[in-house]
Amino acid sequence: MKRLAASTHNIVQIAGTIFEREDKLTRESTPFIHEEGGDSCMALKFKTREAVSHIAPYVLGKTLSDLQKEHGLSSIRKLSENENIYGCSSKVKQWFKENGSDLFLYPDGAAVDLSHKVATFLGVPKEQLVFGNGSDEVIRLLTRAYLSNGDAAIMADVTFPRYQTNVFLEGGTPIIVPLVNGTHDLQAMHDQITPSTKMIFVCNPNNPTGTIVGKKELLEFIGRVPSHILVVVDEAYMEYVTTDDYLETLPLLSTFENLIVLRTFSKIYGLAGLRVGFGVMNQEIAEQLRKVKDVFNVNTVAQKSAVIALEDQAFIRECTHKNEQGRLFLEGEFDRLGVSYFPSQSNFIMVDTGLNGDTVSYELVKRGLVVRSGTLLGYPTTVRVTIGTEEDNKRFIQALEDILQSEGVK
């Protein structure tokens, strides 16, 4: 198996550069469409906070329907956002058909039913759970509750970009540590700990590389971090993991009071459009986060859908199995084509085509496939593709092989 070799990363030096990059990374569709504009490009009549002035606005790219019309495509498939290609549980869909009469009421601000269901499923006290409008909000609540001006938070250089945004907005300093072969360098992250460090983020599996840190390595790292520093392990893709070398973090919560585990219903549960995620943590930390969250932050439909989705574990096991089969197929085809890739334990793979990532992304869109370019991720010759259905994967490989041959790579 060929694995993607380490690339030379340009470590971000100033906050403005960090967030200009993040804006481009988080665009809704094609990453090769570079639209400019917004407050960052104009003189402001009304002065914002200094932190806000350095952040580029969230700019949406072209919609799938626009791309389909532009390229004269009969169909187009989005494999760029790491969504569950199989959707959500049929039980959730059935509930949507039969309910909705109580939507004039405010949602349950305490998410009582959902808390009970998740606590029972995970085997944790419900008091240790904090729900958010996606796990993005839980990250925001953590930085809001615990970071002050001058506090530092350590994270990888190529990882989920919302860590940087929220740290910066609260007046904190993001400490950026380069990945090694697409994986968190936990020793280097530990070496960056100073008296100003308040928080450390570890995305496991990591987005966008899909890699994990080994069980023993992560356990030792958590044990070495001083107990007053929060260790946030983001496990948004953990249900896709099939290797035995993955650390079970929830049992560690009773030992390490500074440990916080993030989960989401947006990925394998297929509820990305409803936005519901949660954190599991020490009860004291959870109570502080509840002080700073919006009262009705998770809507009624999201809460009920998450309860139903959690009950259908047969669907989750099926998605895990299908994803693994798709990953193995893609890895085998990448080996055949002679291209390298990061060893993924998620529902996406970052592959090095040897060509400019924007160019490959554009060529794939012309063939009806939307993927994410790695150009702005620090890996300029890569693309990140969501693992799709058997048909999706075969279509992607055929298109990629055609592009490689037309560019003279193979």
Side-chain angles (χ1 to χ4, degrees), residues 203-219:
C203 190
N204 197 43
N206 185 46
N207 180 14
T209 58
T211 58
I212 65 166
V213 288
K215 180 188 301 184
K216 182 175 182 291
E217 183 183 8
L218 182 55
L219 178 59

Side-chain angles (χ1 to χ4, degrees), residues 355-371:
L355 301 170
N356 180 277
D358 288 351
T359 300
V360 174
S361 297
Y362 182 75
E363 289 298 320
L364 285 169
V365 164
K366 288 164 58 177
R367 292 162 172 81
L369 296 164
V370 181
V371 302

Side-chain angles (χ1 to χ4, degrees), residues 142 199-203 230-234 258-260 262:
L142 283 165
M199 196 172 296
I200 301 175
F201 292 95
V202 178
C203 190
L230 300 182
V231 179
V232 184
V233 181
D234 189 343
N258 60 329
L259 177 63
I260 297 161
L262 302 183

Side-chain angles (χ1 to χ4, degrees), residues 380-395:
T381 58
T382 69
V383 294
R384 188 193 69 190
V385 58
T386 301
I387 299 169
T389 64
E390 182 177 358
E391 180 182 356
D392 292 330
N393 297 333
K394 289 181 178 178
R395 182 179 174 186

Side-chain angles (χ1 to χ4, degrees), residues 128 146 222 226-231 252-260 280-286:
Q128 292 187 327
Y146 285 97
I222 294 171
S227 60
H228 66 281
I229 297 174
L230 300 182
V231 179
L252 303 176
L253 289 168
S254 59
T255 303
F256 301 103
E257 295 184 338
N258 60 329
L259 177 63
I260 297 161
V280 193
M281 64 202 74
N282 178 281
Q283 184 175 342
E284 176 191 311
I285 300 173

